[in-house]
Amino acid sequence: MFDRLRDVMVRKFQLDPTEVVPDATLKDLELDSLDVVELSLAVEKELGVSVSDEELLQASDIRSVVALLEGRTARV
């Protein structure tokens, strides 16, 4: 799931793939609240996982986002 999320983030926000690491925060990646809304929509469209922008903002780092997404896919 990490690789898939990283691919979405790199494509959507033109991020350097080497910067999208498990310990990086959304702030580290310079994603603002509008970017997080866009990420939420992209994750749902491209990965088929519904997650709100509020949940993404509460995640402490990319590792936490991945855990959230994996938790959602485990329930399906």
Side-chain angles (χ1 to χ4, degrees), residues 41-55:
L41 297 172
V43 164
E44 184 167 7
K45 180 179 179 183
E46 297 186 37
L47 304 181
V49 181
S50 179
V51 61
S52 74
D53 54 303
E54 291 177 11
E55 292 170 307

Side-chain angles (χ1 to χ4, degrees), residues 28-47:
D28 292 340
L29 298 173
E30 299 181 6
L31 299 182
D32 62 23
S33 58
L34 181 57
D35 292 329
V36 174
V37 170
E38 291 181 31
L39 178 59
S40 171
L41 297 172
V43 164
E44 184 167 7
K45 180 179 179 183
E46 297 186 37
L47 304 181

